[in-house]
Amino acid sequence: MDNFFNGIRDRQGEKVSIFYCGRNIEGYSSEPVSLALYSKGYKVLGRSKKLYRFRGFYSLDPQDRIVLTKIGDEYVNACEIYCQDGQNIEVDFSTPFLVKVFSPLLDGYFQHRRFVKNRILWRLAVDKIKQMANHPEVRHIEARKTGRIIRVASDIVVVGGGLAGLTAAYTVSQLGLKTLIIDKSIELGGRLRYDYMDVPGVPVSREYLLEDILTKISSDGNIKTLTRTIFTGFFEDYPTAYSQEERTLYILKAKGFIIATGVVDLPCIFRNNDIPGIFSASTVLEMVNRYRVKLGEKSLIIGLSQNSLRIAEQLKRSGIDVVMVDNSRSQSIQSDLSRVGECIVNVREIEAVGRKCVEKANIIHDDGRDRLEVDFIVCSAFSNPDILILNQLDSRLIYIGGVGFVPVHDEYMHLKDNIFIAGGVSGSPYSILHLIEGEIAALSAAYKLGAKEVEPLIEEKIKEYRTKLNEMNVKWKNKVFRNSRSELIENSSFTYPPTLFIERPRRDAFICFCEDITTEDISRTVHEKGYTLLELVKRSLGVCTGRCQGRLCMVNAALYVSYLSNLDPSQVGLTKARAPVTSIPLYILAGGEEE
């Protein structure tokens, strides 16, 4: 049984020794390298690509690759690699001379405009900067032969090991179908693993719910699981998945797919929002509850919602003081604020202060200014369905205010062809809906594969589903269902971006961390070039083309362009995503031995 009041317990796993820039550090084999470093006070994992700003990690999700760190002889995501004895981690803190000289002039836009009137001289200057800034000498390295390529056959592949995915997998297996679960975490369970409060709407405790579903999964002979593995996407020949830990590429052969990838906690947009010590909401819960990392004494939570209140309450129980801020006043939850502490509303601008990590936060609001000493900042203002895989499929997406870009699907949780969705990726906000959606998706997939006897069960579940939607006032789902039966997409009204906490475009407020694209860069592109389609902004600046493939920046960029151009987000649109969603080393493709 979980108990907050036992203090910070030792993290699980075997103790190992790793080396950070020559310093011997103690870590645990069951934790990512990034956490081992952070717990010892080493928060900088590298420099940004263009501006050479100090960067840490925003999320523990292996797909959220803001920065790569040299571990051994490879540059990899330190949140994806787990501690091993004798590991050597190197971080370069230096800045090239020309970058230092030109730093007052440089921004994410610098390759697209000239500071020098002479075109030839400017081109030479840019080429020289590019050579010295983050373009290391190319060496000849022989391709390794240690990678594997494995073919896996199954009736149904479930992508995502959270509540919806596990429910779908178990339901499918009970119908006699072989099921494969692919999850990028070290363990199945999703948020149930680290959110220690009970699931709203579910009559049993969180601990019992998690234990029950995992027991069923582990004892079911029809279910196989791949953890620490990322579903890389649908290709013309076959879908694939990749495990960095196992250096293995999986070629998947299946008759149906259920996508249950959950949501993405979007970064908040404020001044210096890229420095180490700024985390996603789910990452903070995972660090505190699952890995028992001591984050500090005081936190700033950006966003005022039921989700941020859950986070605030759990941080308070862990002995961390909380200050909550929001850019509006939410009357519906004012009565709940007394249990979490101080709350500042009607915030106009936030500035994080600190060189190598967060030390303070300046808050400008309607009643004045506040300067707070904080140890870390939590971005909990807005979460969007994790649509990266669905966007690859060219799925139709509709923007719903307060929910985000939602894939168009019907009551049967059918997306297109033999692909179904369930859980947070469908936009549903409550776990009880995720449970029901997992069952509906599983039954619908089985019906499409020929199990006609499940038709009465599907209709019964859909009836229960509609009842729950009405009870929980999730009326916007009807709009999604209507669009699934029509070729026309209903436009949404323009809304203020929920993640925006600046009064004007800033050159230190980042939207794309991979490519160092700021709000000032995007504002200049919209106003000077007249681009109001995100695809055109992408081609101009390179936003959404970095390591995370737009997972963290695409929705924020679309909403910001929508705000600047006064268009609804559906008109601005999203960029075209392409597989794979994560990097696959060339030596795996070139030298992998097929099994």
Side-chain angles (χ1 to χ4, degrees):
M1 183 175 179
D2 299 312
N3 189 341
F4 288 103
F5 304 102
N6 287 337
I8 304 298
R9 299 185 306 202
D10 288 338
R11 283 159 281 161
Q12 298 177 353
E14 179 185 351
K15 287 186 178 181
V16 296
S17 291
I18 62 177
F19 298 87
Y20 175 79
C21 299
R23 302 180 184 92
N24 191 344
I25 297 172
E26 185 181 85
Y28 294 82
S29 59
S30 63
E31 67 180 355
V33 169
S34 57
L35 282 186
L37 298 178
Y38 191 92
S39 65
K40 298 298 183 182
Y42 302 106
K43 303 176 182 181
V44 178
L45 297 178
R47 293 279 207 173
S48 68
K49 184 175 180 180
K50 293 180 181 177
L51 306 183
Y52 270 69
R53 293 172 65 93
F54 289 119
R55 291 280 169 81
F57 65 96
Y58 167 76
S59 166
L60 290 176
D61 191 297
Q63 290 180 246
D64 297 342
R65 297 177 169 184
I66 289 178
V67 66
L68 297 182
T69 305
K70 188 177 182 181
I71 301 179
D73 59 353
E74 289 186 280
Y75 283 91
V76 293
N77 179 12
C79 296
E80 195 175 358
I81 303 299
Y82 287 76
C83 293
Q84 298 178 15
D85 199 46
Q87 239 167 8
N88 189 44
I89 299 103
E90 293 291 336
V91 175
D92 188 0
F93 290 91
S94 64
T95 305
F97 174 73
L98 284 182
V99 174
K100 289 181 180 179
V101 172
F102 285 97
S103 60
L105 303 175
L106 297 181
D107 53 29
Y109 201 78
F110 83 93
Q111 293 188 48
H112 306 275
R113 62 181 176 135
R114 292 185 292 117
F115 300 118
V116 181
K117 289 184 178 181
N118 187 293
R119 291 177 181 269
I120 298 177
L121 289 178
W122 171 240
R123 175 50 53 198
L124 291 174
V126 170
D127 288 344
K128 192 64 177 177
I129 293 173
K130 288 168 65 177
Q131 289 174 18
M132 298 187 67
N134 216 27
H135 284 260
E137 181 183 353
V138 177
R139 295 177 298 157
H140 176 75
I141 301 177
E142 184 178 351
R144 304 187 204 186
K145 304 295 183 182
T146 57
R148 296 184 300 166
I149 298 176
I150 299 178
R151 296 182 181 271
V152 182
S154 184
D155 292 317
I156 298 289
V157 170
V158 178
V159 183
L163 183 58
L166 294 178
T167 302
Y170 181 70
T171 304
V172 167
S173 71
Q174 291 302 292
L175 298 171
L177 298 174
K178 293 182 179 179
T179 310
L180 174 67
I181 302 174
I182 297 176
D183 191 73
K184 51 197 169 188
S185 299
I186 190 173
E187 296 174 302
L188 298 176
R191 186 161 177 152
L192 291 175
R193 282 283 183 189
Y194 51 82
D195 189 337
Y196 282 1
M197 295 179 69
D198 287 340
V199 179
V202 179
V204 298
S205 68
R206 178 200 68 88
E207 296 95 327
Y208 177 83
L209 180 63
L210 177 60
E211 182 181 357
D212 179 61
I213 189 67
L214 290 181
T215 300
K216 290 177 179 177
I217 293 292
S218 62
S219 61
D220 195 317
N222 280 333
I223 300 178
K224 293 183 179 179
T225 62
L226 291 175
T227 55
R228 297 190 191 178
T229 303
I230 298 175
F231 183 82
T232 56
F234 293 90
F235 293 87
E236 185 176 343
D237 296 328
Y238 39 72
T240 63
Y242 176 67
S243 171
Q244 173 69 35
E245 191 74 16
E246 301 293 333
R247 302 183 189 276
T248 301
L249 179 70
Y250 296 95
I251 297 175
L252 308 174
K253 184 178 180 181
K255 301 173 184 176
F257 295 84
I258 298 174
I259 309 299
T261 46
V263 299
V264 178
D265 296 324
L266 297 183
C268 294
I269 305 168
F270 55 94
R271 301 188 65 182
N272 294 323
N273 61 332
D274 65 322
I275 60 178
I278 299 170
F279 303 109
S280 72
S282 56
T283 292
V284 165
L285 284 183
E286 197 167 359
M287 291 171 73
V288 171
N289 291 341
R290 183 177 182 181
Y291 289 105
R292 309 295 179 180
V293 174
K294 183 66 175 177
L295 288 171
E297 303 296 331
K298 192 169 185 178
S299 65
L300 178 71
I301 298 180
I302 303 177
L304 190 56
S305 64
Q306 293 298 336
N307 183 51
S308 57
L309 285 172
R310 287 174 68 89
I311 295 167
E313 188 165 343
Q314 292 180 70
L315 291 182
K316 290 281 287 185
R317 292 182 182 182
S318 300
I320 300 173
D321 290 333
V322 173
V323 177
M324 302 184 70
V325 298
D326 195 52
N327 51 16
S328 64
R329 181 181 296 275
S330 179
Q331 298 292 338
S332 60
I333 58 175
Q334 288 297 305
S335 59
D336 296 326
L337 299 180
S338 58
R339 71 174 187 262
V340 297
E342 184 180 356
C343 181
I344 303 173
V345 294
N346 297 323
V347 171
R348 302 202 304 268
E349 186 159 288
I350 299 172
E351 179 187 15
V353 180
R355 184 169 177 265
K356 291 186 178 180
C357 65
V358 172
E359 298 173 2
K360 296 180 177 64
N362 295 326
I363 314 294
I364 301 175
H365 50 92
D366 287 353
D367 297 326
R369 298 170 178 256
D370 286 296
R371 186 175 179 86
L372 309 174
E373 291 190 6
V374 296
D375 298 303
F376 62 98
I377 296 175
V378 185
C379 294
S380 184
F382 192 61
S383 297
N384 195 86
D386 187 356
I387 56 174
L388 195 57
I389 293 174
L390 309 183
N391 201 19
Q392 287 181 5
L393 296 169
D394 203 22
S395 303
R396 293 195 300 157
L397 300 165
I398 182 173
Y399 183 78
I400 305 291
V403 182
F405 285 92
V406 177
V408 174
H409 59 281
D410 59 22
E411 298 93 326
Y412 298 90
M413 308 312 296
H414 181 240
L415 186 72
K416 61 188 300 184
D417 302 327
N418 60 343
I419 301 171
F420 299 80
I421 61 175
V425 71
S426 77
S428 295
Y430 302 112
S431 296
I432 184 62
L433 296 177
H434 299 175
L435 271 171
I436 301 173
E437 288 179 355
E439 293 177 307
I440 293 175
L443 294 171
S444 299
Y447 180 82
K448 193 170 182 65
L449 268 57
K452 304 302 181 183
E453 70 275 9
V454 302
E455 185 174 6
L457 295 176
I458 297 175
E459 298 304 325
E460 182 181 339
K461 277 294 171 185
I462 289 179
K463 184 178 180 180
E464 178 187 356
Y465 183 46
R466 284 194 169 278
T467 300
K468 284 293 182 184
L469 290 175
N470 289 331
E471 288 177 1
M472 297 181 168
N473 199 31
V474 189
K475 296 180 179 179
W476 57 264
K477 272 281 187 177
N478 292 321
K479 182 177 181 180
V480 176
F481 298 153
R482 285 198 307 271
N483 277 275
S484 70
R485 294 185 283 270
S486 171
E487 292 298 322
L488 298 176
I489 294 291
E490 302 175 25
N491 286 334
S492 303
S493 59
F494 165 75
T495 56
Y496 187 84
T499 56
L500 191 62
F501 290 85
I502 51 175
E503 295 187 280
R504 59 182 175 84
R506 297 281 192 178
R507 71 192 309 267
D508 56 0
F510 290 83
I511 285 185
C512 179
F513 301 99
C514 300
E515 297 295 322
D516 279 341
I517 308 297
T518 68
T519 52
E520 187 179 84
D521 300 326
I522 293 180
S523 176
R524 186 181 298 119
T525 301
V526 170
H527 292 133
E528 292 183 3
K529 296 189 175 183
Y531 293 162
T532 57
L533 293 177
L534 185 59
E535 185 64 34
L536 294 178
V537 175
K538 165 191 168 183
R539 295 176 188 179
S540 175
L541 291 175
V543 66
C544 306
T545 63
R547 301 182 185 103
C548 78
Q549 295 287 290
R551 191 171 185 270
L552 293 178
C553 63
M554 182 167 56
V555 172
N556 266 343
L559 295 182
Y560 191 60
V561 172
S562 170
Y563 167 69
L564 294 172
S565 57
N566 201 28
L567 296 173
D568 68 74
S570 296
Q571 288 178 289
V572 172
L574 299 175
T575 64
K576 175 65 177 178
R578 294 176 175 83
V581 299
T582 189
S583 302
I584 301 175
L586 289 178
Y587 65 77
I588 296 291
L589 302 175
E593 299 176 359
E594 189 166 332
E595 296 182 11

